[in-house]
């Protein structure tokens, strides 16, 4: 892998050892998963040793996992100049995260630990007592019935996630859906029947955040910085590897395809 001024590569062989920039790692029983910092050329991975123990390997250095604890889902900043890494851990049906060697409290669940691209912030989903929330730089958000990180969760330097309030008591045999909304830097947006899948997107200049809100009547609106646009029967952005994109390649100008009945428009 080559990026910017750091020419570097990493090759994982048979899930047992790694060549990194010409260096061969020790042979492990298995390598479970790995992450790579493109800017620094650093590789991190989780490995099981033949004696049954588990280690985190960051840039060639091993860190032992305490007995009785299992590590999984390692994460690193993709482009940050800070040598940071984190991973999820479990013990006795409880879950936590370890960031830069410091472990969080134990929760009923944790998911999707991730760094901001520049490595200055980190957040993850957590659950406790039947409620879910997001932990951002060690601080827990308000608690909800459901809290889910979304594509482009950093929203141009801000933290964003999709939330669902606590629903009334479920009625057996009756399908029930609860309104959902985006929470950006702790501020709750308008509520919708659903948020368009993979529609959350920050602009290339990191100043604007947009997503598709789907109303109870099925109509769709593009929500830009918390403000609803015009209703359409459907809204589509251009597709990329990370879902839909509504922004021009430079700046924060919007464009998308919208449909009303049999008529299709380009909205710019």
């Amino acid at each position: 892998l080559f990026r910017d001024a750091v020419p570097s590569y990493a090759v994982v062989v048979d899930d047992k050892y790694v060549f990194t920039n010409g260096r061969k790692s020790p042979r492990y029983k298995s390598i479970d998963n790995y992450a790579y910092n493109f800017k620094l050329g650093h590789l991190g991975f989780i490995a099981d040793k033949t004696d049954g123990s588990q280690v985190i390997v960051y840039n060639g250095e091993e860190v032992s996992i305490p007995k009785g604890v299992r590590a999984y889902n390692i994460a690193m900043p993709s482009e940050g100049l800070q040598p940071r890494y984190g991973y999820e851990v479990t013990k006795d049906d409880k879950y936590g995260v370890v960031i830069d060697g410091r472990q969080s409290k134990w929760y009923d669940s944790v998911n999707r630990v991730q760094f901001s691209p520049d490595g200055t912030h980190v957040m993850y989903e957590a659950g406790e007592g039947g409620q879910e929330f997001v932990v951002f730089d060690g601080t827990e958000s308000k608690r909800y019935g459901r809290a889910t990180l979304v594509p482009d969760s950093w929203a141009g330097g801000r933290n964003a996630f999709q939330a669902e309030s606590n629903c009334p008591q479920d009625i057996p045999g009756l399908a029930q859906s609860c309104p959902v909304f985006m929470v950006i830097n702790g501020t709750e947006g308008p509520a919708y029947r659903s948020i368009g899948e993979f529609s959350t997107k920050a602009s290339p200049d990191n100043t604007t955040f947009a997503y598709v809100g789907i109303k109870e009547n099925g109509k769709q609106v593009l929500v830009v910085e918390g403000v609803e646009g015009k209703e359409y029967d459907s809204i589509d952005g251009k597709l990329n590897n990370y879902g839909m994109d509504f922004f021009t390649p430079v700046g924060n100008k919007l464009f998308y395809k919208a449909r009303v009945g049999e008529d299709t428009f380009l909205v710019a």
Side-chain angles (χ1 to χ4, degrees), residues 113-262:
V113 58
Q114 57 181 251
F115 289 89
S116 60
D118 65 2
T120 56
H121 303 287
V122 63
M123 62 180 171
Y124 54 90
E125 302 168 7
E128 190 173 50
Q131 294 185 305
E132 297 181 0
F133 45 96
V134 167
V135 182
F136 178 76
D137 288 343
T139 299
E140 297 175 0
S141 73
K142 178 181 173 181
R143 300 192 172 203
Y144 298 96
R146 189 179 299 265
T148 308
L149 296 178
V150 295
D152 264 22
S153 283
W154 298 104
R158 297 159 289 180
N159 60 86
F161 62 93
Q162 181 178 309
E164 179 182 295
S165 296
N166 292 310
C167 282
Q169 184 67 36
D170 288 338
I171 301 174
L174 180 65
Q176 185 177 7
S177 62
C178 300
V180 299
F181 46 90
M182 292 296 301
V183 181
I184 303 176
N185 270 9
T187 300
E188 298 175 1
Y192 298 99
R193 185 181 72 190
S194 61
I195 303 294
E197 187 175 16
F198 303 117
S199 73
T200 53
K201 187 67 182 177
S203 62
D205 66 359
N206 283 332
T207 64
T208 308
F209 188 65
Y211 58 92
V212 174
I214 303 174
K215 297 190 170 186
E216 288 294 335
N217 61 5
K219 299 293 185 180
Q220 300 186 8
V221 293
L222 189 67
V223 184
V224 183
E225 292 298 298
V227 179
E228 289 185 357
K230 184 178 177 180
E231 286 188 4
Y232 295 98
D233 291 339
S234 69
I235 291 174
D236 292 302
K238 70 178 188 288
L239 294 177
N240 61 24
N241 292 335
Y242 304 100
M244 284 192 281
D245 190 352
F246 307 100
F247 293 100
T248 52
V250 177
N252 63 353
K253 301 300 183 183
L254 285 157
F255 69 102
Y256 55 95
K257 183 175 71 173
R259 181 180 61 82
V260 175
E262 296 182 356

Side-chain angles (χ1 to χ4, degrees), residues 28 44-49 53-67 69 71 74 85 87 89 98-102:
Y28 297 100
F45 58 90
I46 301 173
D48 290 316
K49 304 184 82 169
S53 64
Q54 195 180 38
V55 293
I56 300 292
V57 183
Y58 176 77
N59 203 28
E61 298 294 327
E62 288 187 0
V63 177
S64 297
I65 303 298
K67 189 175 181 179
V69 175
I74 190 169
Y85 67 96
Y87 52 93
V89 290
V98 177
I99 306 295
D100 302 329
R102 299 180 63 181

